[in-house]
Amino acid sequence: MPDSTFVITTPIYYVNAAPHIGSAYTTLVADAIARYHRLRGKDVLMVTGTDEHGQKIQRTAEERGVPPQQHCDEFSAEFAKLWHLLHIRHDRFIRTTDPRHKAIVREFFQRVWDQGDIFVGRQQGWYCVACEEFKDEAELLEGGFCPLHPTKKVEWKDEENYFFRLSRYQEKLEALYAEHPEFIQPESRRNEVINFVKQGLRDFSISRPSVSWGIPFPADPGQTLYVWFDALINYISAALDPDDEPTLANALRRYWPADVHLVGKDIVRFHAIYWPAMLMSAGLPLPKQVFGHGFLTKDGLKMSKSLGNTVDPFELVQQYGADAVRYYFLTEIELGKDGDFSEGRFVDVLNADLANDLGNLLNRTLNMLRKYQSDYRVPAVGIPADHPLKTLAERLAPAVADAYERLDPSSAARKALSLAQASNKYLDEQAPWTLHKQGQNERVAQILYAVLESVRWVAVLLSPLIPALSLKILQQLGFSLTDITQLRWDPDATWGQLPPGQEPQPPTPVFQKILRNA
């Protein structure tokens, strides 16, 4: 795959319930990184979707009294709806019930079968339906509850299944981790996986005899493919161009291997152990990186329905707007670490960063432009090569690009916003209102141009995070963009490209301050 192409994926989400803030967070991060690479002119594929097979889905549909496919259709639509509300621009939305995905799964399975890596065995153990995973007894909470779903009791299973020879790939996986330390990130996740693998890998079941909702096991119609074996292959089937025949050759042609699989830390093992071993067996290229992010809490506590402290992403967007939600979760949580949502902190951050540092800066500068200039246009002035805002902007741009490249949108935002903060300070120190009274109109024009150009830079640098707000800022500066995707950015570009004579729109607040009792 050429360097001009970039592929990032999220997990595909179970449709046993409506989307929650955790799945929204993962998808927001993937969208921001994808937007950055599009901004740089790359051919980008951002993949998300829904995992629609397995016992959990089958039982949920039965409890609702609807056919499984109808259930999947309804809940998959909820995910697509939320991504639209959050301005998430995915290129592919994969569903595991799609016949094209099933065709790819069957061809993938055949390659693994032909390799001799599938055999019949007996599976005995404790199974968590919510995780769709067998658990070691030592992992369980008191009373036989799953550690990840503490209200769900595990179930004893004794089944004759088909197994994948994971143990055959132990040495190859250990070599992969040693030769490519970037394959699993952050470092804490990498260490967890390496320590787990060192204990010795066991072959794992890839079929279930008691589950009917799924892809029939190709070699035995009485069995169904294990949901994770089916689901992981989505990353390849999603790479298939819509008009191509569903074959592995076509799926691998343009958008494989993926650059980043972005997942929650609870499913890193599936992606960093099972998945690369399956790909090795099938003789296919491996993804370049698996990045496991942390969990979200609310007011310092784990979110749970029993505590009544869950965050409904639909309500959050409805109350505060998409860019507000995007900005908080992408900037206040360092990717890879656990993060907390506090509504008080949420309001404070948005008011300080977007309403004051950025929005008010643009608004008051445009008001001064209208008040102090003979006509309401970007002034045509010369700017010294060593202008402090120019120097800062040109130093920050590569640093912001580097942060996005490292999957660190929080750091990218802090660096970009520092230019707005410096511009506010510069405006206060230069006091153009005083200079205007002294008749220093040329100097006033220089100051206003420098601040407006800096605001333009901030809007571009933050556009992967707050696309709608960035577009609004650029439009207010007089640019004729109708969609933020029309924008391109070169981190090595020089500061001072705001066209003289361009007529901005009348100054209006681009981000309204949020009241505490809103």
Side-chain angles (χ1 to χ4, degrees), residues 44 59 123 169 196 210 213 286 318 347 350 375 431 436 463:
V44 172
R59 285 188 181 179
Q123 177 77 62
Y169 293 91
F196 180 83
S210 57
W213 183 241
L286 306 186
Q318 184 177 16
V347 170
L350 295 171
D375 62 345
H436 175 71
S463 64

Side-chain angles (χ1 to χ4, degrees), residues 248-263:
L248 273 176
N250 285 336
L252 298 168
R253 178 174 53 83
R254 183 178 175 191
Y255 290 120
W256 189 260
D259 291 270
V260 182
H261 288 328
L262 185 64
V263 301

Side-chain angles (χ1 to χ4, degrees), residues 51 62 64 82 86 126 163 178 187 194 206 218 264 284 312 389 398 463:
D51 187 354
E62 289 170 355
R64 294 184 63 219
L82 181 60
L86 285 168
W126 296 105
F163 284 73
E187 190 71 16
I194 289 174
I206 61 166
L284 300 178
D312 185 329
L389 293 183
S463 64

Side-chain angles (χ1 to χ4, degrees), residues 453-473:
E453 168 65 345
S454 296
V455 170
R456 181 184 75 85
W457 272 58
V458 175
V460 173
L461 298 179
L462 290 179
S463 64
L465 311 182
I466 45 173
L469 181 56
S470 290
L471 178 62
K472 193 182 295 185
I473 290 170

